Amino acid sequence: MESNTVADFVYKHNNIKGAYMVFIASASVFLDVWDLTSFGFVLDFFKADLHPAGVMLGISVAAANIGAIAGAILGGYLTDKFGRKRLLMYNMAVFIIFAFLIAISTNIFEFTLFRLIMGFSIGSDVATGFSYIYEYISRKQRNHYYSLWAYSFSVVALIAIASVFLLYHITHNDSVWRYIFVIGGIFAAIILLLRSRMTETPIWLYGNGKYKETQDVIKHVYGEDININQSGQKNHVTLKNIISLFRNGLNRELVFAFSLNGIVGFIGWGFAFYITYMLETLKLFTFYQILGADAIIYSFGFAGAIISPVMAKHLGIYRASVIPSIIAAIAIFALFITFAGILPVYLVIPFSIIIIFMNYSGPMAYNAVLNGFIPTSLRGVGNGWNYMFNKITEAVSGLTGGAILVLVGLKFNTIILFIIVAAFTVIAVYTGKSKYFKKGYASDLQTSPEE
């Protein structure tokens, strides 16, 4: 058959190994979520073991996100320049090394430094992974992975709860936090082994003039021989690509994706990361009861992930994103009223359920939103900017959230969180009124010359 572009072929043909490739390529999503949730569940033990001060607690928590900020933007550039598979291998190797170093760190400064470097590998890998995924599955298959981040977050959170429960039951000491990093390192080692069998994406190969390799990969993955048009323009990736993304007339759409990112970042770290800590502060539940509450809360998160693609299909991306964001902001304000003593304290858990459910059913699909309109030639850079913004919000939220919670308490942290989430929601409401988000899935749209 004749094909003008490899992208046209890939986006029209289902990948029979799609689910497997998505899982392996997006492993850093699971690792990022594992770090966020499992560490949050054992934060009290970490404090008792290494004794960080209020500000240092925030810095150590935010270190992974600070490293991921640099990793996301540089990783996005590097994956466009050197290839998806190569970066997926390098990133995971770095993660393994520093996950084990974190587990044996002897003081808060070692912990923070190692966590910073580990965060760099996560940031780079997530940008690379999403670039890989959306270049290796059809538009039809994209619909199944619309809520990829939300699925990952909720499922891994539930696994983390069960793991922390078992670890605490077995060890019953303050070193329990170290084992979660060991588990993360072991999982990463398995992923690295599986990734060694992956192929480079045919779209990246074709865009870089590797025509023979492109044909070989398509033959291997799809079982078809295609005649490659070898007169196509090659991608010339330079550092200028990092900023050229904002010159292609999609700035409104980028701001919309970034605003959803901001909502997720602040709810994820300013609130979700500290749920266990907040419940412990209330002194109303035992540790095991709190883990049970965490499991219920994240189960509703998983339910939100399930309905997310359904909402996007029937309401359109714009309404499916902003309506849950508005409800989540209202629930955060209700939580502030509860912490202020105006509402009964037992409402903390129901309001937490609403916040997490709405976050997962709407704005958590920001990666799918961005990859629906970003040009193929700038996909790595686009995912890098997107994830970098996510990590900036998470770093700020984790840093300030930890310090504010320790220094001034639950009430002030929650009202600040409400103001920030409400501001991002207003931006999303305004910027999301784009022609690209008026119908169905982002992946149903054809938005760039390469596609």
Side-chain angles (χ1 to χ4, degrees), residues 15-321:
N15 188 326
I16 60 174
K17 299 180 181 179
Y20 171 79
M21 288 183 170
V22 165
F23 173 75
I24 301 303
S26 65
S28 50
V29 173
F30 294 92
L31 293 173
D32 189 16
V33 176
W34 173 263
D35 175 71
L36 164 62
T37 53
S38 60
F39 188 41
F41 297 143
V42 295
L43 193 61
D44 216 40
F45 302 108
F46 170 73
K47 287 177 59 184
D49 193 14
L50 295 187
H51 310 289
V55 174
M56 199 61 206
L57 173 65
I59 293 174
S60 61
V61 166
N65 292 326
I66 294 171
I69 291 170
I73 192 62
L74 290 178
Y77 159 73
L78 292 172
T79 190
D80 281 343
K81 186 172 182 64
F82 297 111
R84 316 318 191 191
K85 178 180 177 179
R86 186 179 298 179
L87 263 292
L88 287 174
M89 297 293 290
Y90 291 165
N91 293 331
M92 199 54 54
V94 172
F95 181 94
I96 294 168
I97 293 170
F98 285 91
F100 285 109
L101 287 176
I102 288 172
I104 61 173
S105 55
T106 59
N107 57 64
I108 190 62
F109 301 104
E110 288 181 2
F111 174 88
T112 303
L113 175 62
F114 297 152
R115 192 164 158 77
L116 186 77
I117 299 173
M118 186 191 76
F120 183 95
S121 69
I122 290 178
S124 176
D125 207 64
V126 170
T128 304
F130 275 102
S131 299
Y132 189 96
I133 289 167
Y134 286 99
E135 287 184 1
Y136 230 140
I137 55 177
S138 68
R139 290 193 184 92
K140 183 178 179 181
Q141 286 178 308
R142 288 186 189 186
N143 299 343
H144 297 294
Y145 305 111
Y146 182 79
S147 305
L148 174 62
W149 190 271
Y151 284 125
S152 303
F153 205 111
S154 52
V155 171
V156 176
L158 292 171
I159 294 173
I161 291 169
S163 300
V164 170
F165 176 86
L166 292 174
L167 287 171
Y168 180 70
H169 184 73
I170 294 171
T171 63
H172 211 75
N173 61 56
D174 292 336
S175 294
V176 66
W177 68 268
R178 298 179 184 273
Y179 296 105
I180 65 172
F181 290 102
V182 172
I183 292 173
I186 293 172
F187 177 73
I190 295 172
I191 291 298
L192 180 62
L193 180 62
L194 294 175
R195 281 183 174 180
S196 66
R197 302 178 63 85
M198 294 171 65
T199 62
E200 182 56 80
T201 73
I203 291 176
W204 184 87
L205 290 170
Y206 178 73
N208 286 270
K210 300 179 183 297
Y211 304 122
K212 178 62 167 60
E213 293 94 324
T214 304
Q215 290 177 310
D216 291 343
V217 168
I218 290 178
K219 174 66 175 178
H220 173 72
V221 175
Y222 299 95
E224 293 192 32
D225 290 307
I226 68 172
N227 295 320
I228 300 294
N229 176 7
Q230 301 189 16
S231 62
Q233 184 178 357
K234 295 182 181 179
N235 295 334
H236 296 286
V237 180
T238 68
L239 287 173
K240 291 181 180 179
N241 285 52
I242 294 177
I243 59 174
S244 64
L245 173 71
F246 300 97
R247 300 173 182 170
N248 64 0
L250 292 173
N251 290 339
R252 183 187 185 99
E253 289 75 19
L254 287 170
V255 172
F256 178 61
F258 290 172
S259 63
L260 298 180
N261 217 321
I263 294 168
V264 170
F266 273 92
I267 290 180
W269 283 81
F271 173 71
F273 184 84
Y274 293 106
I275 287 178
T276 302
Y277 181 82
M278 289 189 290
L279 293 177
E280 288 175 341
T281 302
L282 294 174
K283 305 296 184 185
L284 297 175
F285 311 98
T286 67
F287 181 67
Y288 288 126
Q289 287 173 334
I290 291 172
L291 286 180
D294 288 331
I296 294 172
I297 291 169
Y298 283 105
S299 293
F300 274 90
F302 182 70
I306 292 175
I307 72 167
S308 180
V310 178
M311 290 176 60
K313 183 175 182 178
H314 293 285
L315 298 179
I317 291 166
Y318 174 70
R319 286 184 293 174
S321 299

